[in-house]
Every structure is written in structure tokens, then in C-alpha cells.
């Protein structure tokens, strides 16, 4: 194993990382996306450190129209950390006592299975660990989220919907990796395409569109929503004269994010169907394509009316699609 220590500057640099570079066979990891096994004694789990960790990792996902935690946590005592559990995709190990003179957090990858991350949280006592976790709460969430996002991206690139990706590239002049199972539902000219993956009780969809860049317009939530509605109306509802629109019950929010060295305006909100009762969350990514003097947009939405099915993993998978996009130079 190659070990290297990173300074605490960016998210990944929170950890001393250890990657399994062995050529030996490593079995496939178990577990669901955004599920974490916490290896801790009963005393550690019920201590301030356990309380803090639950508070950090089980906060509600924002912009979902039902309550869902960021991660599903399962506690297991160290004595039961055996067999299949050691091959889980996400593991956090809490270790406290005299063997650990200071609080440190480290990560190892693909140790017992792949893909896998094991995060070690070591500290002299649970109070010190709780204080450290509270201070670094954002970095911890980002690391675990980025780990799952990178897995989604890798899977999309391994199992692409080649016909869909080729049509998107031909129409919009960009490279993308939409996963197998998605189908083109509607295409209008060279500036609109609706794509979705339909399941019996839910749907993951996205529509890609572009429009000329207008330097006189400021990129605000109101402007992005106006343009979104103009294109979303091309997505029909279940009955005649019904179509997708943006919900006005909770005005969308826009933030700027850098993804793969490109600036995106990220609009989050809820969608409705005009004339019907369907709806759900959406996230829309807009970026200025200077080469073509246009605003390029990929808008992603989820429909999953059954609360037990949830929406978190569906929207998280869609969010990772934008990370596969590249623009020719």
C-alpha cells in the first residue's frame, strides 16, 4: 500500500489516505449508495462523538419534498465487524483511548472490497473527537458525498447509453456519459432534448437545452426560471394540455459552483405539472459556452410519489451526470 499524508487544505486533504494498489483480486463491495456502517462500541455510539456524527451525517437533504437524511447510518460493535460487513462500501471506525494521543482522521480505500472507503476517527476521548468533528463537519460530509459521486460517474462511464450520448454530442457539441437505460423521449431542433429513465413507480429525467447568450440579462434565479419554463413546457403531463413547469410555492434558489474547472449556475427547486398534481425536486445547471455564444443547460428532475422509495439517491445520481460533461476546446 502506498501511504501519503496530505495537508488540511481541501476536502480530500482532511485525510491521511491509503490506497490499495495490490494486483490481487478484491471482491465487489456491498451496501447501497449513501449508506454507512459506523463501527463503534455502545458507549462511543451514545457519546458526544456519536451524537455529533449523527447530527452531521443525518441532516436532511435540502430541496427534497420529503424528509430524507444525507446518509443512512448503521451502527455495529467492533466485535461484530466481520465477514460481509467488512466489505461494505462505506465504513467509519471510531477508536478512542490512550493508544491515540491526539485526534486524527484518516481514510483507506479498497481495503477489503472495491469500491470502498474506510474512515478512521481516532482520539484520546469522545469529547475531543466530538469537538473535532463539529469543527470539520462540512469537510466530512463533502468527502463522503464526493466518494459516492465519483462512483456514480465511474459506473456511468462503464455502462453508457451510447446511442443517447452520441445524439447529445451531435446535437449540442459536447461530450457526456448518460448511463444505460435512459431513452430520448423528445427532440426539438438543435436546442432541446428530453431524456428519461422510466421505472414502474418512479422516473429520473433530464432535459438539455441551449439559448443565445444575452449580455444585457443578469443570471438570476428569476431569469433562469423564466428560461427553464419556456423549455420545460415541451415535457408533456399525463393528460392533454398538461406540461411541466416550475413550482411557485417555494421560489428556486441559485448558487454558483465550479465543476471540472467550469463555472455553473446551479438552480434548485421543485417542479409541477400545469393542470395536474404531479411534481418533485429538480436541479438545473447552466453555464456560459463562450465558443458558441450560448447558455448551455442540463436540467434534472425526479418523480417518485411513493415516500418509501425516496428521492435522495435518484437526484444524487442525476447530479453526477453533469460531472461527465466536457466541452471541446
Amino acid at each position: 500500500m502506498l501511504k501519503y499524508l496530505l495537508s488540511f487544505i481541501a476536502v480530500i486533504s482532511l485525510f491521511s489516505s491509503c490506497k490499495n494498489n495490490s494486483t490481487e483480486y478484491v471482491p465487489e463491495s456491498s451496501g447501497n449508495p449513501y449508506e454507512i456502517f459506523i463501527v463503534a462500541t455502545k458507549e462511543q455510539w451514545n457519546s458526544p462523538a456519536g451524537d455529533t456524527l449523527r447530527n452531521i451525517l443525518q441532516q436532511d437533504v435540502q430541496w427534497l419534498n420529503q424528509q430524507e437524511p444525507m446518509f443512512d447510518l448503521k451502527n455495529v460493535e467492533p466485535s461484530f465487524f466481520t465477514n460481509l460487513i467488512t466489505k461494505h462500501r462505506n465504513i467509519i471506525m471510531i477508536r478512542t483511548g490512550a493508544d491515540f494521543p491526539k485526534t486524527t482522521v484518516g481514510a483507506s480505500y479498497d481495503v477489503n472490497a472495491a469500491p470502498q472507503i474506510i474512515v478512521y476517527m481516532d482520539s484520546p476521548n469522545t469529547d475531543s473527537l466530538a469537538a473535532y468533528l463539529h469543527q470539520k463537519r462540512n469537510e466530512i460530509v463533502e468527502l463522503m458525498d464526493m466518494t459516492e459521486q465519483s462512483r456514480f460517474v465511474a459506473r456511468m462511464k462503464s455502462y453508457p447509453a451510447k446511442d443517447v450520448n452520441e445524439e447529445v454530442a451531435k446535437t449540442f457539441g459536447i461530450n457526456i456519459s448518460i448511463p444505460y437505460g435512459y431513452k430520448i423521449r423528445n427532440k426539438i431542433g438543435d436546442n432541446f432534448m428530453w431524456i428519461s429513465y422510466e421505472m414502474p413507480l418512479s422516473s429520473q429525467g433530464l432535459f438539455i437545452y441551449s439559448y443565445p447568450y444575452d449580455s444585457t440579462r443578469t443570471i438570476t434565479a428569476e431569469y433562469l426560471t423564466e428560461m427553464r419554463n419556456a423549455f420545460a413546457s415541451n415535457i408533456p403531463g399525463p393528460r392533454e394540455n398538461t406540461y411541466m413547469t416550475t413550482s411557485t410555492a417555494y421560489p428556486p434558489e441559485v448558487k454558483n459552483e465550479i465543476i471540472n474547472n467550469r463555472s455553473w449556475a446551479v438552480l434548485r427547486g421543485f417542479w409541477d405539472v400545469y393542470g395536474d398534481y404531479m411534481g418533485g425536486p429538480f436541479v438545473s445547471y447552466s453555464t456560459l459556452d463562450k465558443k458558441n455564444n450560448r447558455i448551455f443547460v442540463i436540467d434534472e428532475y425526479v418523480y417518485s410519489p411513493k415516500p418509501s422509495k425516496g428521492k435522495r439517491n435518484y437526484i444524487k445520481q442525476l447530479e453526477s451526470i453533469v460531472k461527465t460533461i466536457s466541452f471541446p476546446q
Side-chain angles (χ1 to χ4, degrees):
M1 292 186 181
L2 174 64
K3 295 185 178 181
Y4 52 96
L5 184 65
L6 301 179
S7 60
F8 203 144
I9 300 176
V11 175
I12 298 301
S13 63
L14 171 62
F15 301 95
S16 306
S17 298
C18 180
K19 182 78 173 180
N20 186 353
N21 292 325
S22 172
T23 57
E24 295 181 4
Y25 169 75
V26 178
E28 184 176 0
S29 57
S30 60
N32 299 316
Y34 290 89
E35 180 182 70
I36 307 175
F37 265 102
I38 312 293
V39 182
T41 65
K42 185 176 181 180
E43 291 75 18
Q44 291 167 333
W45 187 236
N46 293 324
S47 72
D51 291 341
T52 303
L53 195 58
R54 285 191 293 275
N55 179 266
I56 293 170
L57 296 177
Q58 289 197 306
Q59 58 186 299
D60 288 340
V61 179
Q62 295 184 334
W63 293 102
L64 292 185
N65 51 339
Q66 68 182 61
Q67 285 188 313
E68 290 188 63
M70 296 194 69
F71 300 90
D72 299 318
L73 305 185
K74 296 183 178 182
N75 173 229
V76 59
E77 295 250 6
S79 59
F80 291 101
F81 183 60
T82 59
N83 301 324
L84 187 61
I85 297 176
T86 65
K87 298 177 178 61
H88 195 275
R89 63 195 291 133
N90 302 311
I91 297 169
I92 293 178
M93 302 192 72
I94 296 179
R95 304 184 298 190
T96 57
D99 291 339
F100 309 104
K102 64 178 183 178
T103 301
T104 61
V105 176
S108 295
Y109 296 85
D110 303 344
V111 177
N112 304 309
Q116 182 185 60
I117 181 173
I118 301 179
V119 178
Y120 302 93
M121 298 183 172
D122 301 334
S123 186
N125 54 69
T126 55
D127 288 338
S128 297
L129 181 58
Y132 182 90
L133 295 178
H134 179 76
Q135 182 184 8
K136 305 302 180 184
R137 58 189 301 124
N138 292 336
E139 289 91 337
I140 292 167
V141 169
E142 287 180 40
L143 175 79
M144 302 308 295
D145 183 53
M146 287 170 60
T147 298
E148 289 288 18
Q149 288 280 301
S150 67
R151 293 167 181 167
F152 280 142
V153 170
R155 189 165 184 82
M156 288 173 184
K157 291 182 176 180
S158 297
Y159 302 98
K162 292 184 179 180
D163 56 337
V164 174
N165 295 326
E166 289 172 0
E167 189 63 27
V168 172
K170 178 181 175 182
T171 303
F172 294 97
I174 59 102
N175 297 312
I176 194 170
S177 189
I178 296 170
Y180 181 80
Y182 283 77
K183 304 293 182 183
I184 298 173
R185 309 297 174 180
N186 189 18
K187 181 178 181 294
I188 302 175
D190 292 329
N191 66 348
F192 176 84
M193 188 181 297
W194 171 35
I195 303 164
S196 72
Y197 177 54
E198 301 298 329
M199 295 164 277
L201 298 176
S202 56
S203 173
Q204 290 172 281
L206 59 96
F207 52 108
I208 303 172
Y209 57 95
S210 65
Y211 52 89
Y213 170 59
D214 183 351
S215 61
T216 67
R217 298 294 300 264
T218 304
I219 303 298
T220 62
E222 292 75 18
Y223 177 51
L224 293 175
T225 301
E226 174 189 336
M227 299 307 298
R228 180 182 193 274
N229 286 338
F231 287 93
S233 62
N234 293 316
I235 300 178
R239 297 183 291 111
E240 188 176 359
N241 297 322
T242 63
Y243 53 86
M244 179 182 284
T245 188
T246 305
S247 174
T248 57
Y250 297 93
E253 176 183 276
V254 66
K255 292 183 178 179
N256 292 322
E257 294 184 19
I258 302 297
I259 302 173
N260 293 342
N261 298 317
R262 174 175 285 271
S263 179
W264 297 81
V266 183
L267 185 74
R268 294 183 184 273
F270 301 102
W271 61 273
D272 291 332
V273 170
Y274 176 80
D276 202 88
Y277 298 100
M278 297 175 67
F282 79 85
V283 55
S284 179
Y285 297 85
S286 301
T287 188
L288 172 59
D289 178 8
K290 294 182 180 180
K291 182 178 179 181
N292 296 295
N293 196 40
R294 65 177 180 174
I295 300 295
F296 173 86
V297 185
I298 177 168
D299 192 297
E300 304 159 343
Y301 67 90
V302 167
Y303 177 64
S304 183
K306 194 173 181 179
S308 61
K309 296 292 289 184
K311 300 176 177 66
R312 179 197 63 200
N313 288 5
Y314 290 149
I315 199 72
K316 287 290 187 180
Q317 184 187 60
L318 285 167
E319 286 176 4
S320 64
I321 291 177
V322 72
K323 297 176 175 64
T324 73
I325 295 176
S326 63
F327 289 74
Q329 298 299 318

